[in-house]
């Protein structure tokens, strides 16, 4: 009798397991294949127009920072949606409303965003200073950098009960900034990468004075759980730059620059994990599959290599062309050739090999290959785990 009850319980448990499987695993798979999306990650980008409502931000002679920020933020979101596939844009404000400083990163965390971009306009005592700079979270290396963060953080002084809400943080005291030393460390490399792409777009495409990537303790970047940057698009205190920041053309150029930097950043991440390669193939039925020359005799088996370079023209495979490496393979892609070194059944062996050649190829990264195709690393590792268990 007791066994009967046990069995009944056991069956009920199994049925609920099956239902759970369909709710959480099968349905997302069905819906994603129905819409034709495979391996394509849906990205969320949060765009934060600095200041707003009762807080005007910096003041120029013909305009207020909050209005410039909002205009550029909305345009940036529009360009991102036009230029990047599978992206959702979330704004911290879409009009002239007041949003507390501490709520802005919370919006990004709640949305589980991939990127957080805060848009601001700079100001200083000198009318001569002009140019754009992009900030990441970190410890300010000098007083001038600290002051930019102090100015942006001072917004919280306008909020009621700010000292309780901001954990006793005093935006005007340099001692307070020590608390920022450890936050965002995990995302520092990615944030720097995005920030430098934004600066390159600003200077190369739009001809803005490049004031470089900098770091300081901004509350708005504090505790965000994703790569985050704060863009100072230009100086409202410089008369000609203020005009530019208020012009439709200037705003469009700055916004499209930020969107292109995001696109480039996300594309690089995709190609590192192999996602975009697989997608290209899905979109183009006529395209020949990406074949790897003379390799992988074991059909259906996953192995790992270290991609060292990619080129639009073919490079002859000889060690002299690859800094002395003798185990280089060519991967023939749609419009380019990728070159990868080593060939391992074990992921960690490939990781170790990458470390070994890091001095010669600092940008090298591990890729996964199965049946002569590059596949997303995450997927490969999961499959590998499964087959090892069986
Ligand atoms: Zn600002």
């Amino acid at each position: 009798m007791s066994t009967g009850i046990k069995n009944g319980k056991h069956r009920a448990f199994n049925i609920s397991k099956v239902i759970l499987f369909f709710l959480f695993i099968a349905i997302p798979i069905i819906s994603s294949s129905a819409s034709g999306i495979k391996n394509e990650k849906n990205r969320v980008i949060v765009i934060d127009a600095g200041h707003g409502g009762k807080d005007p931000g910096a003041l120029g002679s013909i305009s207020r920072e909050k209005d410039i920020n909002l205009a550029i933020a909305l345009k940036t979101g529009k360009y991102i949606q036009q230029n990047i596939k599978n992206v959702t844009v979330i704004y911290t404000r879409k009009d002239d409303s007041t949003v507390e400083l501490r709520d802005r990163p919370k919006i990004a965390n709640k949305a589980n965003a991939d990127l957080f971009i805060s848009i601001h306009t700079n100001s200083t005592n000198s009318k001569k200073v002009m140019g754009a700079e992009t900030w990441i979270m970190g410890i300010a290396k000098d007083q001038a950098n600290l002051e930019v963060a102090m100015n942006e953080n001072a917004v919280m002084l306008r909020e009621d009960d700010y000292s309780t809400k901001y954990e006793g943080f005093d935006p005007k005291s340099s001692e307070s900034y020590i608390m920022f030393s450890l936050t965002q460390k995990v995302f520092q490399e990615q944030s720097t990468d995005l920030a430098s792409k934004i600066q390159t777009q600003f200077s190369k495409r739009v001809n803005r004075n490049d004031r470089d990537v900098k770091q300081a303790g901004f509350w708005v970047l504090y505790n965000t759980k994703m790569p985050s940057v704060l863009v100072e698009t230009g100086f409202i205190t410089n008369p000609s730059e203020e005009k530019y920041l208020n012009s439709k053309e200037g705003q469009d150029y700055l916004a499209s620059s930020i969107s292109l930097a995001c696109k480039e950043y996300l594309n690089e991440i995709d190609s590192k994990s192999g996602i975009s390669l697989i997608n290209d193939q899905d979109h183009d039925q006529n395209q020949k599959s990406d074949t790897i020359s003379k390799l992988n005799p074991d059909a259906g088996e996953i192995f790992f290599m270290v991609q060292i370079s990619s080129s639009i023209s073919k490079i002859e495979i000889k060690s002299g062309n690859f800094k002395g490496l003798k185990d280089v393979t060519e991967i023939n892609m749609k419009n380019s050739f990728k070159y990868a070194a080593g060939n391992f059944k074990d992921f960690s062996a490939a990781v170790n090999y990458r470390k070994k050649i890091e001095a010669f190829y600092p940008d090298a990264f591990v890729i996964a290959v199965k049946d002569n195709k590059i596949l997303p690393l995450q997927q490969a590792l999961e499959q590998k785990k499964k087959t090892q268990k069986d």
Side-chain angles (χ1 to χ4, degrees):
M1 257 190 25
S2 66
T3 10
I5 291 165
K6 233 186 184 172
N7 283 344
K9 260 189 185 168
H10 193 69
R11 198 180 308 128
F13 175 68
N14 275 345
I15 289 166
S16 67
K17 246 186 171 174
V18 170
I19 292 168
L20 278 176
F21 170 82
F22 271 97
L23 275 178
F24 295 106
I25 299 171
I27 290 171
I29 292 169
I30 293 163
S31 60
S32 71
S33 61
S35 58
I37 299 163
K38 245 202 279 175
N39 302 314
E40 223 161 316
K41 196 171 178 283
N42 192 32
R43 258 60 187 253
V44 177
I45 300 179
V46 171
I47 300 177
D48 171 48
H51 313 276
K54 62 181 180 183
D55 163 30
L59 299 173
S61 53
I62 55 162
S63 60
R64 297 170 300 188
E65 178 186 354
K66 64 171 184 177
D67 302 318
I68 296 171
N69 298 347
L70 180 63
I72 296 174
L74 293 176
K75 282 173 192 275
T76 302
K78 195 189 77 185
Y79 281 115
I80 285 175
Q81 248 145 0
Q82 274 172 17
N83 295 330
I84 307 176
K85 283 188 295 182
N86 298 319
V87 72
T88 305
V89 173
I90 293 173
Y91 301 93
T92 55
R93 67 179 178 101
K94 288 177 91 171
D95 51 29
D96 187 26
S97 50
T98 305
V99 183
E100 287 194 355
L101 196 58
R102 65 185 185 138
D103 287 336
R104 298 169 189 257
K106 279 186 193 164
I107 292 170
N109 289 344
K110 206 178 150 202
N112 206 4
D114 294 278
L115 293 174
F116 177 80
I117 300 166
S118 187
I119 293 175
H120 287 256
T121 308
N122 225 332
S123 69
T124 185
N125 297 330
S126 161
K127 283 189 172 183
K128 284 182 190 152
V129 180
M130 65 186 300
E133 54 200 28
T134 303
W135 293 81
I136 63 159
M137 190 69 186
I139 290 297
K141 74 172 196 321
D142 56 34
Q143 189 61 25
N145 284 9
L146 182 61
E147 270 164 23
V148 175
M150 281 179 162
N151 278 336
E152 295 294 5
N153 292 332
V155 175
M156 64 177 72
L157 298 173
R158 294 166 171 268
E159 296 174 15
D160 302 328
D161 199 20
Y162 86 89
S163 126
T164 323
K165 286 193 278 193
Y166 293 93
E167 304 164 26
F169 177 79
D170 177 1
K172 295 280 177 208
S173 146
S174 56
E175 280 85 49
S176 284
Y177 286 77
I178 296 162
M179 69 185 273
F180 290 132
S181 63
L182 284 173
T183 70
Q184 274 275 318
K185 265 253 168 9
V186 203
F187 304 109
Q188 201 162 46
E189 203 181 310
Q190 290 149 292
S191 301
T192 309
D193 188 22
L194 174 64
S196 58
K197 284 182 164 58
I198 292 173
Q199 283 304 120
T200 305
Q201 288 287 337
F202 281 163
S203 61
K204 299 271 152 56
R205 274 188 80 247
V206 204
N207 222 4
R208 305 318 295 160
N209 178 32
D210 182 4
R211 290 174 56 86
D212 223 338
V213 175
K214 297 173 178 176
Q215 64 174 47
F218 292 86
W219 190 280
V220 78
L221 304 181
Y222 175 47
N223 280 342
T224 53
K225 294 178 171 65
M226 74 273 331
S228 305
V229 298
L230 184 144
V231 184
E232 294 280 5
T233 51
F235 283 81
I236 200 170
T237 38
N238 176 289
S240 76
E241 197 152 66
E242 186 184 16
K243 253 186 222 158
Y244 181 83
L245 290 165
N246 280 281
S247 69
K248 188 185 170 296
E249 190 196 60
Q251 292 171 354
D252 276 323
Y253 277 143
L254 292 165
S256 71
S257 294
I258 299 169
S259 88
L260 287 169
C262 289
K263 186 181 180 178
E264 199 188 335
Y265 171 87
L266 293 173
N267 277 349
E268 267 177 30
I269 289 187
D270 280 353
S271 74
K272 277 183 189 176
S273 57
I275 292 171
S276 68
L277 312 182
I278 302 282
N279 282 338
D280 280 352
Q281 213 177 326
D282 287 345
H283 293 312
D284 188 354
Q285 297 293 328
N286 301 322
Q287 182 210 336
K288 270 203 224 153
S289 63
D290 310 319
T291 52
I292 295 182
S293 55
K294 298 174 213 145
L295 245 172
N296 193 18
D298 308 316
E301 194 167 343
I302 293 167
F303 64 108
F304 300 96
M305 303 174 79
V306 181
Q307 186 178 316
I308 50 172
S309 71
S310 93
S311 165
I312 48 166
S313 53
K314 209 174 164 75
I315 301 172
E316 195 192 334
I317 306 265
K318 54 178 188 183
S319 63
N321 285 340
F322 296 97
K323 303 181 183 177
L325 292 180
K326 287 179 180 139
D327 51 359
V328 176
T329 303
E330 180 183 283
I331 307 172
N332 197 346
M333 306 297 296
K334 192 178 172 187
N335 298 314
S336 66
F337 302 90
K338 298 201 184 293
Y339 296 90
N343 180 10
F344 307 91
K345 288 188 176 175
D346 182 27
F347 174 67
S348 58
V351 171
N352 285 337
Y353 190 61
R354 193 201 73 82
K355 274 185 204 145
K356 250 191 203 168
I357 62 172
E358 196 174 26
F360 314 102
Y361 286 104
D363 297 327
F365 52 91
V366 175
I367 54 171
V369 180
K370 183 185 169 187
D371 293 335
N372 297 336
K373 286 192 187 99
I374 296 176
L375 72 160
L377 202 51
Q378 195 58 39
Q379 190 186 318
L381 291 170
E382 277 160 20
Q383 280 185 27
K384 195 96 180 165
K385 226 190 206 169
K386 242 199 226 158
T387 49
Q388 274 166 358
K389 265 190 204 155
D390 292 345

